[in-house]
Amino acid sequence: MTTQEKQPPETFIRFSPLQRLLHLAVMIGFTGLAVTGFSLKFSAQWWAHGFAWLVGGAGHLAYLHRFFAVITYGCVLVHIIWLFYFKLVLKGSITGPQSLFPRVQDIKDMFQHMGYFFGKRSIPRFNRFTYWEKFDYLALFLGMNTMGFTGLFLWFPEFFSTLLPGYFINLAQVLHLYEAILAVALKFVVHIVTTHLRPETFPVEKTIFNGKTTREKMMHEHPGELDSIEV
């Protein structure tokens, strides 16, 4: 008695090596920034004392924070350069249906999705990125620029004090802290829950690490993108 061999699922390349490398670097840099930054800010707490001791003292802690800041913002700069290359050299569309930048269609998808939650409408045919993934991207992109700008004020306060009134340093410190809290809440709660802890991807979404996805998964999560591939 013979049995038919099971065919491997058809796969597509969803993320390039550069995208996966940048994601990994941002993961490392952002996590390092969060741990070292909060340890510096809440240095009176026992856990901050313990972490500072582990890395060799407050001076090393500050050095590590700046090191991770350079890694993270370096990824932002690489991404910006890539956007220019994609638009000017490859003649791509950064506002097209497969782009990470928001479009009017994303607002329509959001309201249709809300209707789907209440059983009133069908689920939208999402393209390459959903509206919440675009929000996640913009929050990181804008947040990292805010963190980078205010971080430079705190890194070189003497220099910036010669250009602007001293209270700008205090303002930068406040903005840096609250933007950090928002960023950590978004990335370690919202992003992880919506990306990795969903039933269909638990315990981890592998696509961003291996770059591959299956046809079945694309039909379920990004049918609009699959339609554009098979045209």
Side-chain angles (χ1 to χ4, degrees):
M1 183 176 180
T2 61
T3 58
Q4 185 177 5
E5 293 185 3
K6 185 177 180 181
Q7 295 294 325
E10 184 179 3
T11 60
F12 296 89
I13 299 299
R14 181 162 169 78
F15 295 111
S16 69
L18 176 62
Q19 291 168 328
R20 287 146 50 195
L21 179 62
L22 285 178
H23 180 268
L24 181 61
V26 169
M27 280 180 57
I28 295 172
F30 187 85
T31 303
L33 279 173
V35 174
T36 56
F38 285 130
S39 295
L40 287 167
K41 179 59 183 177
F42 303 105
S43 58
Q45 302 299 316
W46 65 268
W47 53 266
H49 277 283
F51 188 73
W53 172 83
L54 186 65
V55 300
H60 287 176
L61 195 60
Y63 171 82
L64 284 174
H65 188 69
R66 292 162 184 165
F67 172 76
F68 287 121
V70 171
I71 290 178
T72 306
Y73 200 75
C75 293
V76 174
L77 292 178
V78 171
H79 178 64
I80 292 174
I81 293 171
W82 163 252
L83 289 178
F84 278 104
Y85 175 78
F86 179 74
K87 178 65 177 178
L88 300 177
V89 178
L90 300 182
K91 305 300 180 182
S93 173
I94 61 174
T95 57
Q98 310 306 327
S99 170
L100 263 171
F101 285 83
R103 305 166 68 235
V104 174
Q105 183 61 41
D106 296 310
I107 300 177
K108 297 178 181 179
D109 287 346
M110 182 179 67
F111 283 106
Q112 182 177 341
H113 206 196
M114 290 180 180
Y116 167 76
F117 290 150
F118 292 98
K120 302 295 184 181
R121 306 180 70 177
S122 62
I123 191 168
R125 292 184 64 81
F126 293 118
N127 277 293
R128 181 171 176 80
F129 300 102
T130 62
Y131 64 87
W132 67 84
E133 289 171 333
K134 294 184 179 185
F135 172 79
D136 202 12
Y137 163 75
L138 285 181
L140 176 64
F141 188 73
L142 297 176
M144 287 300 100
N145 281 285
T146 301
M147 294 291 290
F149 187 65
T150 55
L152 281 176
F153 271 72
L154 301 177
W155 194 344
F156 305 104
E158 296 86 358
F159 170 76
F160 285 101
S161 295
T162 63
L163 303 176
L164 296 167
Y167 62 80
F168 273 82
I169 307 301
N170 296 331
L171 180 61
Q173 189 172 32
V174 173
L175 291 176
H176 200 74
L177 171 62
Y178 284 102
E179 175 59 34
I181 294 173
L182 287 173
V184 168
L186 178 65
K187 291 304 164 189
F188 287 104
V189 179
V190 178
H191 177 70
I192 289 180
V193 169
T194 59
T195 302
H196 299 290
L197 301 185
R198 293 179 292 126
E200 55 266 41
T201 59
F202 183 85
V204 63
E205 169 59 87
K206 299 178 181 178
T207 304
I208 192 58
F209 299 104
N210 60 27
K212 300 176 182 179
T213 189
T214 63
R215 178 186 180 85
E216 180 181 2
K217 190 174 181 181
M218 286 190 71
M219 289 179 63
H220 176 64
E221 297 183 358
H222 304 277
E225 181 184 8
L226 183 62
D227 292 343
S228 68
I229 294 175
E230 297 184 334
V231 168

